Protein backbone atom coordinates (compact mmCIF):
# COMPACT_ATOMS: atom_id res chain seq x y z
CA UNK A 1 0.00 0.00 0.00
CA UNK A 2 1.28 3.48 -0.90
CA UNK A 3 1.75 5.80 2.06
CA UNK A 4 -0.89 8.52 2.21
CA UNK A 5 0.07 12.14 2.45
CA UNK A 6 -0.63 13.30 6.01
CA UNK A 7 -3.11 16.19 5.91
CA UNK A 8 -3.29 19.29 8.04
CA UNK A 9 -5.73 19.37 10.94
CA UNK A 10 -7.74 22.39 12.02
CA UNK A 11 -10.74 23.51 14.01
CA UNK A 12 -13.33 26.11 13.20
CA UNK A 13 -16.24 27.82 14.86
CA UNK A 14 -19.26 29.82 13.84
CA UNK A 15 -19.10 31.63 17.18
CA UNK A 16 -22.15 29.73 18.38
CA UNK A 17 -23.52 30.89 21.71
CA UNK A 18 -22.33 28.59 24.49
CA UNK A 19 -23.81 27.88 27.94
CA UNK A 20 -22.82 28.62 31.51
CA UNK A 21 -22.63 25.93 34.21
CA UNK A 22 -26.39 26.26 34.79
CA UNK A 23 -27.20 25.72 31.12
CA UNK A 24 -28.08 29.36 30.38
CA UNK A 25 -26.78 31.03 27.20
CA UNK A 26 -23.79 33.29 27.68
CA UNK A 27 -23.82 36.90 26.41
CA UNK A 28 -22.10 37.59 23.10
CA UNK A 29 -19.11 39.50 24.58
CA UNK A 30 -18.21 36.54 26.81
CA UNK A 31 -18.61 34.07 23.94
CA UNK A 32 -16.15 36.12 21.86
CA UNK A 33 -13.61 36.35 24.70
CA UNK A 34 -13.91 32.61 25.27
CA UNK A 35 -13.45 31.99 21.54
CA UNK A 36 -10.07 33.76 21.65
CA UNK A 37 -9.02 31.47 24.52
CA UNK A 38 -10.13 28.46 22.48
CA UNK A 39 -7.87 29.57 19.62
CA UNK A 40 -4.95 29.91 22.04
CA UNK A 41 -5.66 26.35 23.19
CA UNK A 42 -5.72 25.14 19.57
CA UNK A 43 -2.33 26.77 18.93
CA UNK A 44 -0.94 25.18 22.09
CA UNK A 45 -2.27 21.78 21.03
CA UNK A 46 -0.29 21.99 17.79
CA UNK A 47 -3.22 22.32 15.38
CA UNK A 48 -2.65 23.80 11.92
CA UNK A 49 -5.66 26.07 11.45
CA UNK A 50 -8.28 28.02 13.38
CA UNK A 51 -11.29 29.34 11.46
CA UNK A 52 -14.05 31.76 12.47
CA UNK A 53 -17.35 32.06 10.62
CA UNK A 54 -19.38 35.19 9.84
CA UNK A 55 -23.02 35.36 10.92
CA UNK A 56 -25.53 38.10 11.62
CA UNK A 57 -28.06 36.46 13.94
CA UNK A 58 -28.65 36.07 17.68
CA UNK A 59 -27.47 32.47 18.05
CA UNK A 60 -23.96 33.30 16.75
CA UNK A 61 -21.68 35.86 18.36
CA UNK A 62 -19.26 36.72 15.53
CA UNK A 63 -20.20 39.10 12.73
CA UNK A 64 -16.64 40.33 12.05
CA UNK A 65 -14.25 37.36 11.88
CA UNK A 66 -11.22 39.46 10.95
CA UNK A 67 -11.47 41.46 14.19
CA UNK A 68 -11.55 38.30 16.27
CA UNK A 69 -8.75 36.73 14.23
CA UNK A 70 -6.56 39.81 14.74
CA UNK A 71 -7.00 39.46 18.51
CA UNK A 72 -6.11 35.77 18.18
CA UNK A 73 -3.04 36.61 16.09
CA UNK A 74 -1.64 38.64 18.99
CA UNK A 75 -2.02 35.64 21.35
CA UNK A 76 -0.76 32.79 19.13
CA UNK A 77 2.46 31.78 17.44
CA UNK A 78 2.04 29.38 14.54
CA UNK A 79 -1.57 28.38 13.90
CA UNK A 80 -3.00 29.64 10.60
CA UNK A 81 -6.04 31.92 10.88
CA UNK A 82 -8.97 32.28 8.52
CA UNK A 83 -12.65 32.89 7.98
CA UNK A 84 -15.08 29.98 7.67
CA UNK A 85 -16.69 31.64 5.81
CA UNK A 86 -16.56 35.26 4.68
CA UNK A 87 -19.97 35.93 3.09
CA UNK A 88 -18.54 37.39 -0.10
CA UNK A 89 -21.90 38.00 -1.78
CA UNK A 90 -22.84 40.72 0.74
CA UNK A 91 -19.34 42.14 1.13
CA UNK A 92 -16.95 44.08 -1.08
CA UNK A 93 -14.01 42.09 -2.47
CA UNK A 94 -11.68 45.07 -2.25
CA UNK A 95 -12.41 45.51 1.46
CA UNK A 96 -12.16 41.75 2.00
CA UNK A 97 -8.69 41.74 0.48
CA UNK A 98 -7.60 44.79 2.47
CA UNK A 99 -8.81 43.33 5.77
CA UNK A 100 -7.16 39.96 5.23
CA UNK A 101 -3.94 41.48 3.92
CA UNK A 102 -3.83 43.47 7.15
CA UNK A 103 -4.51 40.32 9.17
CA UNK A 104 -1.74 38.60 7.23
CA UNK A 105 0.67 41.35 8.27
CA UNK A 106 -0.18 41.32 11.98
CA UNK A 107 -0.12 37.50 12.07
CA UNK A 108 3.19 37.27 10.20
CA UNK A 109 1.78 35.54 7.14
CA UNK A 110 -0.82 33.25 8.70
CA UNK A 111 -4.05 34.61 7.16
CA UNK A 112 -6.43 32.63 4.96
CA UNK A 113 -9.71 33.55 3.27
CA UNK A 114 -12.57 31.08 2.90
CA UNK A 115 -15.11 32.86 0.71
CA UNK A 116 -18.65 31.60 0.42
CA UNK A 117 -22.24 32.47 -0.28
CA UNK A 118 -23.11 31.74 3.34
CA UNK A 119 -25.36 29.08 4.81
CA UNK A 120 -27.62 31.82 6.23
CA UNK A 121 -28.90 34.86 4.35
CA UNK A 122 -29.41 37.51 7.08
CA UNK A 123 -26.55 39.60 5.69
CA UNK A 124 -28.41 40.28 2.43
CA UNK A 125 -31.21 42.52 3.80
CA UNK A 126 -28.84 43.84 6.48
CA UNK A 127 -26.48 45.31 3.87
CA UNK A 128 -29.08 46.10 1.23
CA UNK A 129 -28.69 43.20 -1.20
CA UNK A 130 -31.49 41.44 -3.04
CA UNK A 131 -31.66 37.66 -2.68
CA UNK A 132 -32.80 37.53 -6.31
CA UNK A 133 -29.21 38.49 -7.17
CA UNK A 134 -27.79 35.59 -5.12
CA UNK A 135 -25.96 33.92 -8.00
CA UNK A 136 -24.65 36.95 -9.86
CA UNK A 137 -23.39 38.60 -6.66
CA UNK A 138 -21.21 35.64 -5.81
CA UNK A 139 -20.02 34.96 -9.35
CA UNK A 140 -18.92 38.54 -10.01
CA UNK A 141 -17.39 39.11 -6.59
CA UNK A 142 -15.46 35.85 -6.67
CA UNK A 143 -14.06 36.80 -10.08
CA UNK A 144 -12.93 40.15 -8.67
CA UNK A 145 -11.43 38.62 -5.52
CA UNK A 146 -9.42 36.17 -7.65
CA UNK A 147 -7.99 39.11 -9.59
CA UNK A 148 -7.18 41.07 -6.44
CA UNK A 149 -5.32 38.12 -4.91
CA UNK A 150 -2.70 38.38 -7.67
CA UNK A 151 -1.72 41.75 -6.12
CA UNK A 152 -1.27 43.17 -9.61
CA UNK A 153 -3.13 46.16 -11.08
CA UNK A 154 -6.74 45.10 -11.65
CA UNK A 155 -9.11 46.08 -14.42
CA UNK A 156 -12.60 44.72 -13.83
CA UNK A 157 -16.21 45.59 -14.53
CA UNK A 158 -19.50 44.01 -13.56
CA UNK A 159 -23.02 44.80 -12.45
CA UNK A 160 -22.63 44.56 -8.65
CA UNK A 161 -20.07 47.27 -7.83
CA UNK A 162 -18.08 50.08 -9.44
CA UNK A 163 -15.56 49.12 -12.12
CA UNK A 164 -11.81 49.16 -11.54
CA UNK A 165 -9.22 50.35 -14.06
CA UNK A 166 -5.59 49.36 -13.49
CA UNK A 167 -6.01 49.79 -9.74
CA UNK A 168 -3.74 48.38 -7.05
CA UNK A 169 -5.09 47.45 -3.63
CA UNK A 170 -3.07 47.75 -0.43
CA UNK A 171 -1.48 46.64 1.81
CA UNK A 172 0.56 44.15 -0.14
CA UNK A 173 1.49 40.85 1.49
CA UNK A 174 4.82 39.09 1.87
CA UNK A 175 3.83 35.82 0.20
CA UNK A 176 0.21 36.12 -0.89
CA UNK A 177 -2.89 34.85 0.89
CA UNK A 178 -4.13 31.27 0.73
CA UNK A 179 -7.74 31.43 -0.41
CA UNK A 180 -10.52 28.85 -0.60
CA UNK A 181 -14.17 28.71 -1.62
CA UNK A 182 -16.61 27.11 0.79
CA UNK A 183 -18.83 24.64 -1.10
CA UNK A 184 -21.84 22.77 0.24
CA UNK A 185 -22.20 20.20 -2.52
CA UNK A 186 -23.13 21.89 -5.82
CA UNK A 187 -21.21 20.59 -8.87
CA UNK A 188 -21.40 24.08 -10.42
CA UNK A 189 -19.73 25.54 -7.33
CA UNK A 190 -16.96 22.95 -7.48
CA UNK A 191 -16.20 23.76 -11.12
CA UNK A 192 -16.31 27.52 -10.45
CA UNK A 193 -13.82 27.09 -7.60
CA UNK A 194 -11.41 25.32 -9.94
CA UNK A 195 -11.93 27.90 -12.70
CA UNK A 196 -10.81 30.77 -10.48
CA UNK A 197 -7.92 28.86 -8.89
CA UNK A 198 -9.13 28.65 -5.28
CA UNK A 199 -8.78 25.77 -2.85
CA UNK A 200 -11.93 23.67 -2.35
CA UNK A 201 -13.37 23.85 1.19
CA UNK A 202 -16.12 21.23 1.43
CA UNK A 203 -18.75 21.72 4.13
CA UNK A 204 -19.94 18.18 4.90
CA UNK A 205 -22.54 18.57 7.63
CA UNK A 206 -24.76 15.55 7.10
CA UNK A 207 -24.71 12.06 5.67
CA UNK A 208 -21.75 9.83 4.81
CA UNK A 209 -18.62 11.64 3.67
CA UNK A 210 -18.03 9.22 0.80
CA UNK A 211 -20.87 10.78 -1.19
CA UNK A 212 -18.52 13.76 -1.69
CA UNK A 213 -15.88 11.67 -3.46
CA UNK A 214 -17.49 12.62 -6.77
CA UNK A 215 -16.91 16.30 -5.95
CA UNK A 216 -13.22 15.91 -5.12
CA UNK A 217 -12.79 13.96 -8.36
CA UNK A 218 -14.73 16.64 -10.29
CA UNK A 219 -12.53 19.35 -8.78
CA UNK A 220 -9.31 17.65 -9.91
CA UNK A 221 -10.71 17.03 -13.41
CA UNK A 222 -11.85 20.66 -13.67
CA UNK A 223 -8.41 21.91 -12.59
CA UNK A 224 -6.84 19.85 -15.37
CA UNK A 225 -9.33 21.16 -17.90
CA UNK A 226 -8.70 24.80 -16.93
CA UNK A 227 -4.93 24.26 -16.84
CA UNK A 228 -4.50 25.62 -13.31
CA UNK A 229 -2.03 24.39 -10.71
CA UNK A 230 -3.48 21.90 -8.20
CA UNK A 231 -5.07 23.57 -5.19
CA UNK A 232 -5.72 21.97 -1.78
CA UNK A 233 -8.98 20.36 -0.71
CA UNK A 234 -10.30 20.68 2.84
CA UNK A 235 -13.26 19.13 4.65
CA UNK A 236 -15.18 20.83 7.43
CA UNK A 237 -17.57 18.76 9.59
CA UNK A 238 -19.09 19.21 13.06
CA UNK A 239 -18.12 17.24 16.13
CA UNK A 240 -17.01 17.13 19.74
CA UNK A 241 -14.55 14.97 21.64
CA UNK A 242 -14.77 13.83 25.26
CA UNK A 243 -13.11 11.09 27.27
CA UNK A 244 -15.77 8.52 26.33
CA UNK A 245 -18.31 8.03 23.55
CA UNK A 246 -21.15 8.24 26.07
CA UNK A 247 -19.96 11.57 27.48
CA UNK A 248 -19.55 13.11 24.04
CA UNK A 249 -22.96 11.98 22.82
CA UNK A 250 -24.67 13.22 25.97
CA UNK A 251 -23.04 16.64 25.56
CA UNK A 252 -24.00 17.06 21.90
CA UNK A 253 -27.39 15.42 21.52
CA UNK A 254 -29.77 18.11 22.82
CA UNK A 255 -28.04 20.96 20.99
CA UNK A 256 -27.98 18.96 17.75
CA UNK A 257 -31.70 18.27 18.11
CA UNK A 258 -32.56 21.93 18.74
CA UNK A 259 -30.57 23.04 15.70
CA UNK A 260 -32.24 20.46 13.48
CA UNK A 261 -35.65 21.59 14.71
CA UNK A 262 -34.71 25.21 14.02
CA UNK A 263 -33.72 24.28 10.46
CA UNK A 264 -37.09 22.58 10.02
CA UNK A 265 -38.77 25.89 10.82
CA UNK A 266 -36.36 28.14 8.91
CA UNK A 267 -35.52 26.09 5.84
CA UNK A 268 -38.20 23.47 5.55
CA UNK A 269 -35.87 20.57 6.30
CA UNK A 270 -37.58 17.27 7.16
CA UNK A 271 -37.98 16.85 10.93
CA UNK A 272 -35.40 14.64 12.67
CA UNK A 273 -36.48 11.02 12.87
CA UNK A 274 -35.77 8.45 15.54
CA UNK A 275 -32.17 7.25 15.16
CA UNK A 276 -30.97 10.17 13.00
CA UNK A 277 -28.52 11.40 15.64
CA UNK A 278 -27.03 7.94 16.15
CA UNK A 279 -26.68 7.40 12.39
CA UNK A 280 -24.88 10.71 11.97
CA UNK A 281 -22.49 9.86 14.80
CA UNK A 282 -21.80 6.32 13.60
CA UNK A 283 -21.74 6.62 9.81
CA UNK A 284 -22.53 10.24 8.94
CA UNK A 285 -20.70 13.54 9.33
CA UNK A 286 -21.00 14.12 13.07
CA UNK A 287 -17.59 13.34 14.59
CA UNK A 288 -18.64 12.83 18.19
CA UNK A 289 -17.01 10.44 20.65
CA UNK A 290 -13.83 9.46 22.42
CA UNK A 291 -10.44 10.25 20.84
CA UNK A 292 -10.15 6.72 19.48
CA UNK A 293 -13.64 6.75 17.94
CA UNK A 294 -13.24 10.16 16.33
CA UNK A 295 -9.76 9.33 15.06
CA UNK A 296 -11.04 6.21 13.26
CA UNK A 297 -13.83 8.19 11.62
CA UNK A 298 -11.55 11.03 10.52
CA UNK A 299 -8.95 8.63 9.13
CA UNK A 300 -11.66 6.90 7.08
CA UNK A 301 -12.85 10.24 5.66
CA UNK A 302 -9.32 11.35 4.77
CA UNK A 303 -8.63 8.04 3.03
CA UNK A 304 -11.89 8.17 1.09
CA UNK A 305 -11.64 11.77 -0.09
CA UNK A 306 -7.87 12.28 -0.18
CA UNK A 307 -8.15 15.72 1.40
CA UNK A 308 -5.31 18.04 2.36
CA UNK A 309 -6.93 19.28 5.58
CA UNK A 310 -9.64 18.12 7.96
CA UNK A 311 -11.33 20.82 10.06
CA UNK A 312 -13.51 19.91 13.01
CA UNK A 313 -16.30 22.44 13.58
CA UNK A 314 -16.06 22.18 17.33
CA UNK A 315 -18.55 24.83 18.52
CA UNK A 316 -21.41 22.89 20.04
CA UNK A 317 -23.88 24.59 22.44
CA UNK A 318 -22.08 23.32 25.51
CA UNK A 319 -19.84 25.06 28.06
CA UNK A 320 -16.58 26.80 27.28
CA UNK A 321 -14.81 24.21 29.45
CA UNK A 322 -16.25 21.40 27.32
CA UNK A 323 -15.00 23.09 24.16
CA UNK A 324 -11.54 23.67 25.61
CA UNK A 325 -11.32 20.00 26.57
CA UNK A 326 -12.48 18.93 23.11
CA UNK A 327 -9.83 21.07 21.38
CA UNK A 328 -7.08 19.72 23.64
CA UNK A 329 -8.13 16.11 23.07
CA UNK A 330 -8.31 16.72 19.32
CA UNK A 331 -4.81 18.18 19.09
CA UNK A 332 -3.04 15.97 21.63
CA UNK A 333 -4.78 12.61 21.10
CA UNK A 334 -6.95 12.47 17.98
CA UNK A 335 -4.49 13.98 15.51
CA UNK A 336 -1.56 11.70 16.51
CA UNK A 337 -3.90 8.68 16.27
CA UNK A 338 -5.09 9.71 12.80
CA UNK A 339 -1.53 10.22 11.61
CA UNK A 340 -0.59 6.76 12.86
CA UNK A 341 -3.61 5.21 11.13
CA UNK A 342 -2.84 6.92 7.84
CA UNK A 343 0.83 5.91 8.00
CA UNK A 344 0.07 2.28 8.83
Amino acid sequence: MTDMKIPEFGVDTFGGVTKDAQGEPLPHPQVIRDLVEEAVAADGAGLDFFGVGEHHRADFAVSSPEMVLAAIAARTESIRLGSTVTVLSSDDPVRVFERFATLDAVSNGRAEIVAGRGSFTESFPLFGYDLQDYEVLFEEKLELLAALLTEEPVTWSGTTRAALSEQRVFPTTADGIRAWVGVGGSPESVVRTARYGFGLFLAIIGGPADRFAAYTDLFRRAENEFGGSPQPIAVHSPGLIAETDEQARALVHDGWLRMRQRMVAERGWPPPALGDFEREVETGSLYVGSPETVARRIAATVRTLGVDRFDLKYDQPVTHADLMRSITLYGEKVVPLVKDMLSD
Side-chain angles (χ1 to χ4, degrees):
M1 173 180 176
T2 303
D3 286 344
M4 286 200 65
K5 181 178 68 173
I6 302 299
E8 297 178 346
F9 296 91
V11 287
D12 53 54
T13 171
F14 288 176
V17 171
T18 48
K19 301 188 298 186
D20 64 17
Q22 289 72 45
E24 295 299 318
L26 290 171
H28 289 161
Q30 186 61 52
V31 173
I32 292 172
R33 289 191 292 269
D34 288 345
L35 193 158
V36 173
E37 296 301 325
E38 290 153 16
V40 173
D43 189 47
L47 294 173
D48 298 300
F49 176 76
F50 190 89
V52 181
E54 173 193 346
H55 290 83
H56 303 269
R57 47 187 287 147
D59 45 349
F60 298 105
V62 178
S63 59
S64 179
E66 305 92 336
M67 291 290 291
V68 179
L69 292 167
I72 292 168
R75 299 277 308 280
T76 56
E77 295 293 333
S78 59
I79 195 165
R80 296 188 63 82
L81 305 169
S83 57
T84 52
V85 298
T86 293
V87 184
L88 189 64
S89 304
S90 57
D91 210 329
D92 181 70
V94 172
R95 294 295 288 147
V96 169
F97 176 86
E98 290 175 340
R99 296 195 303 264
F100 278 91
T102 303
L103 174 65
D104 198 62
V106 300
S107 67
N108 197 22
R110 292 186 279 143
E112 299 187 7
I113 303 170
V114 182
R117 291 183 289 188
S119 56
F120 295 93
T121 58
E122 287 82 4
S123 64
F124 283 78
L126 187 64
F127 299 117
Y129 291 97
D130 192 332
L131 277 171
Q132 291 186 346
D133 298 328
Y134 190 77
E135 290 293 337
V136 68
L137 282 166
F138 190 67
E139 178 74 40
E140 288 193 1
K141 292 187 177 187
L142 191 67
E143 179 187 44
L144 177 54
L145 180 62
L148 294 167
L149 287 166
T150 67
E151 302 192 33
E152 298 292 334
V154 171
T155 296
W156 178 92
S157 63
T159 62
T160 55
R161 77 173 310 281
L164 299 177
S165 178
E166 288 296 299
Q167 289 206 246
R168 295 286 306 277
V169 180
F170 304 102
T172 56
T173 69
D175 296 301
I177 300 174
R178 179 191 279 186
W180 314 70
V181 173
V183 174
S186 157
E188 294 79 12
S189 296
V190 172
V191 172
R192 175 168 49 208
T193 301
R195 183 168 73 249
Y196 289 122
F198 288 86
L200 180 67
F201 194 92
L202 286 170
I204 305 180
I205 60 174
D210 60 6
R211 65 196 178 94
F212 280 78
Y215 295 108
T216 59
D217 179 64
L218 174 62
F219 183 66
R220 293 304 184 207
R221 287 189 285 111
E223 284 184 321
N224 288 334
E225 182 177 330
F226 293 125
S229 58
Q231 297 300 312
I233 300 174
V235 163
H236 138 114
S237 289
L240 190 83
I241 303 148
E243 275 73 12
T244 69
D245 291 346
E246 293 74 21
Q247 288 174 337
R249 290 189 183 201
L251 285 168
V252 172
H253 177 270
D254 291 352
W256 175 89
L257 184 61
R258 284 194 299 272
M259 178 58 79
R260 280 291 300 270
Q261 291 168 338
R262 194 178 307 148
M263 293 301 98
V264 170
E266 293 184 7
R267 300 189 185 183
W269 286 13
L274 185 66
D276 278 358
F277 176 74
E278 289 74 18
R279 278 188 289 273
E280 282 297 328
V281 169
E282 292 164 12
T283 61
S285 296
L286 195 55
Y287 295 78
V288 170
S290 68
E292 294 78 12
T293 294
V294 173
R296 285 194 298 272
R297 305 247 10 259
I298 292 174
T301 295
V302 171
R303 285 193 193 101
T304 299
L305 300 181
V307 296
D308 301 283
R309 187 164 77 203
F310 183 92
D311 283 358
L312 184 75
K313 191 187 87 67
Y314 74 90
D315 67 332
Q316 306 296 325
V318 294
T319 69
H320 170 56
D322 292 326
L323 298 182
M324 291 286 276
R325 184 62 178 151
S326 180
I327 290 168
T328 300
L329 288 171
Y330 180 59
E332 295 182 358
K333 293 195 173 184
V334 173
V335 169
L337 284 169
V338 176
K339 290 180 177 179
D340 286 345
M341 292 173 186
L342 295 177
S343 299
D344 187 0

